[in-house]
Amino acid sequence: LSKGYPSILTAITLNATVQIQDVEEVERKVTKVMSFDPALPGGARDVTTLVACSQVLDQGLKTADPQVREDILSLFLLHIVLLRHLPLKQRAQQLKDWNKAPFSFPVELLSHALDQVQQCMVDVLDICSKEGYFDQMETQFLSDIMDGRLFLQVSYLLLDAHSRGQQASLLSKELCDELEVLWALLKNISHEQLGPAVPVVASSVERTEGADSLEDENHDSVSDQLKTLGINSRAAFFPVSNTLVDAFAGDVKNCLPHLDRTDKQVTAAITENADFDETFHWHSGKPLADD
């Protein structure tokens, strides 16, 4: 990993549209974060994230309210902190339905900010690889450099709690302390004047009308749950259970309709005249030869 991108960023690399122009500025920020003592527990992941967020602050993300911009980046850094502690099983949870969010917040900015941070990460990784910075950092966490689903889940939970006036009780002191370390470094390398790391969300987030009368999300129909996940309502699967699937899929697989693998009509409809030719490697994304 110290000689190139982690494979999960291949798609981002191919689609990146925003390039960091000031290479020297990026190198200055990388060097400054690397000099922090003690070394950051996330190694290259923490360094890359901080520099990318700093670039987004200094060059990219613009919002009508600067506090909203700070809140979004604070939420992103919080999700980086959680990556240190949460196993895949706890991260593989069903996404909340933002269309039914019981609070007011410009949620479209979350996706926009995520895109910009990803794009900046690609350029920071490129510079670190070319300049040999990875040789001086712990790189084992680059394969898990970020988790977009976790970021959206954490954002939803924090914004919902903040709208209820319960944000302070949601995070432990240990998590807040780790977030404050990252936030202090972000303030140190950025040109923008930033407020405190805690509370994570400081902008006004109001409860929407009728929010408290919404039905429990557990009572959503299967179709509604699938739409929330971005899956066509006709999606279904054969029941399968093994250690890897159970740990990775979490409760996502429970909302999918199950097919009867003993029903010959069902299996025939799926397998007949349905040849599959894999043209790209599942992990690296490289084209596969016919042989």
Side-chain angles (χ1 to χ4, degrees):
L1 287 177
S2 63
K3 302 302 181 183
Y5 299 135
S7 59
I8 62 169
L9 288 178
T10 300
I12 303 174
T13 305
L14 295 175
N15 294 290
T17 57
V18 177
Q19 298 294 320
I20 298 178
Q21 302 296 328
D22 194 345
V23 175
E24 292 184 357
E25 176 71 2
V26 174
E27 292 179 348
R28 180 190 68 81
K29 292 178 178 180
V30 170
T31 303
K32 200 167 187 178
V33 177
M34 286 175 57
S35 66
F36 178 72
D37 186 27
L40 294 170
R45 177 175 64 191
D46 289 353
V47 174
T48 302
T49 300
L50 285 168
V51 176
C53 286
S54 176
Q55 290 298 114
V56 169
L57 273 174
D58 293 342
Q59 300 179 9
L61 185 62
K62 303 298 181 185
T63 62
D65 183 353
Q67 185 59 57
V68 172
R69 177 181 57 190
E70 287 189 33
D71 291 350
I72 293 174
L73 291 178
S74 184
L75 287 165
F76 189 83
L77 289 184
L78 175 62
H79 119 274
I80 294 296
V81 170
L82 290 171
L83 287 179
R84 303 171 182 172
H85 304 285
L86 295 180
L88 280 175
K89 184 175 183 179
Q90 293 184 17
R91 288 156 53 181
Q93 303 298 318
Q94 181 181 334
L95 283 174
K96 299 291 186 181
D97 187 349
W98 284 90
N99 294 321
K100 299 178 181 179
F103 50 81
S104 61
F105 190 82
V107 293
E108 68 280 354
L109 287 177
L110 292 172
S111 295
H112 181 55
L114 188 60
D115 289 341
Q116 289 204 348
V117 172
Q118 287 176 330
Q119 290 162 359
C120 286
M121 277 181 165
V122 170
D123 292 324
V124 175
L125 287 167
D126 187 31
I127 292 171
C128 287
S129 179
K130 291 177 179 177
E131 298 301 322
Y133 290 125
F134 286 143
D135 295 333
Q136 308 169 49
M137 291 185 277
E138 175 59 67
T139 60
Q140 66 171 315
F141 300 114
L142 281 181
S143 60
D144 192 25
I145 196 168
M146 61 165 291
D147 185 333
R149 289 176 60 91
L150 178 62
F151 168 64
L152 292 176
Q153 289 288 71
V154 169
S155 298
Y156 189 104
L157 294 174
L158 263 292
L159 290 167
D160 184 44
H162 182 54
S163 70
R164 299 174 184 271
Q166 300 172 351
Q167 181 184 178
S169 62
L170 202 59
L171 300 177
S172 68
K173 182 180 184 302
E174 290 75 13
L175 287 178
C176 291
D177 289 345
E178 292 185 46
L179 175 62
E180 286 176 340
V181 170
L182 292 181
W183 192 253
L185 282 169
L186 180 63
K187 292 171 69 173
N188 189 264
I189 63 175
S190 301
H191 301 304
E192 296 287 322
Q193 297 295 318
L194 303 177
V198 180
V200 179
V201 179
S203 55
S204 176
V205 179
E206 303 294 334
R207 298 294 291 178
T208 54
E209 184 177 356
D212 295 327
S213 62
L214 292 175
E215 293 184 5
D216 190 324
E217 291 185 13
N218 291 329
H219 295 155
D220 288 348
S221 67
V222 168
S223 178
D224 288 340
Q225 294 181 46
L226 292 175
K227 290 178 181 177
T228 300
L229 294 169
I231 300 174
N232 187 290
S233 60
R234 294 178 61 192
F237 83 130
F238 289 112
V240 60
S241 179
N242 62 46
T243 302
L244 179 61
V245 171
D246 294 341
F248 184 78
D251 66 352
V252 172
K253 63 184 179 68
N254 295 330
C255 72
L256 293 170
H258 292 189
L259 298 174
D260 183 1
R261 62 172 65 250
T262 64
D263 188 328
K264 294 183 178 180
Q265 289 186 332
V266 171
T267 56
I270 294 175
T271 58
E272 287 183 359
N273 302 317
D275 293 337
F276 177 73
D277 185 16
E278 187 170 17
T279 57
F280 292 92
H281 191 277
W282 70 273
H283 184 62
S284 68
K286 294 181 179 179
L288 296 175
D290 290 337
D291 54 357

